[in-house]
Amino acid sequence: MIANGKPVQGLDIPIVKLVPRTERKVNERYKKRIEASLRAVGLLEPLIVFPLGDSYEILDGNLRYRLLLEMGVETVPCLIGAEREAFTGN
């Protein structure tokens, strides 16, 4: 896969190795909508991360990460960004 002109590698990463980059406030209605989608159809868009030592910084997907963590998910599909630059996969 190519994103921003750079190759992107996919990997299933243990959720305990993921570190949020930023926190953003979302309203409860939006959060519940995303949670319902995750429960009904699963994760449609992988998180986008950047390697940082033994962990991975989440560049895109912090809300999905928080919800998956609350749901007890142990491994998350991620795309590894070639640069530490926030971008979305879509």
Side-chain angles (χ1 to χ4, degrees):
M1 172 184 260
I2 303 290
N4 291 343
K6 308 255 186 213
V8 178
Q9 174 186 2
L11 189 63
D12 288 340
I13 299 175
I15 201 162
V16 297
K17 290 190 172 257
L18 298 174
V19 178
R21 181 179 199 174
T22 58
E23 287 294 326
R24 73 175 186 158
K25 299 277 183 179
V26 294
N27 68 44
E28 197 61 29
R29 183 176 176 190
Y30 179 72
K31 182 179 173 183
K32 287 183 187 254
R33 193 173 113 218
I34 300 300
E35 181 179 7
S37 173
L38 286 171
R39 290 187 186 280
V41 295
L43 184 66
L44 296 178
E45 290 184 44
L47 279 58
I48 300 175
V49 300
F50 184 80
L52 286 178
D54 291 345
S55 61
Y56 295 85
E57 180 179 45
I58 302 170
L59 303 177
D60 182 58
N62 288 320
L63 177 58
R64 286 171 279 151
Y65 159 77
R66 292 280 181 215
L67 292 168
L68 292 168
L69 189 62
E70 289 174 12
M71 294 166 64
V73 171
E74 294 181 6
T75 304
V76 180
C78 297
L79 296 177
I80 311 299
E83 295 181 16
R84 193 176 179 194
E85 175 182 313
F87 64 95
T88 59
N90 51 2

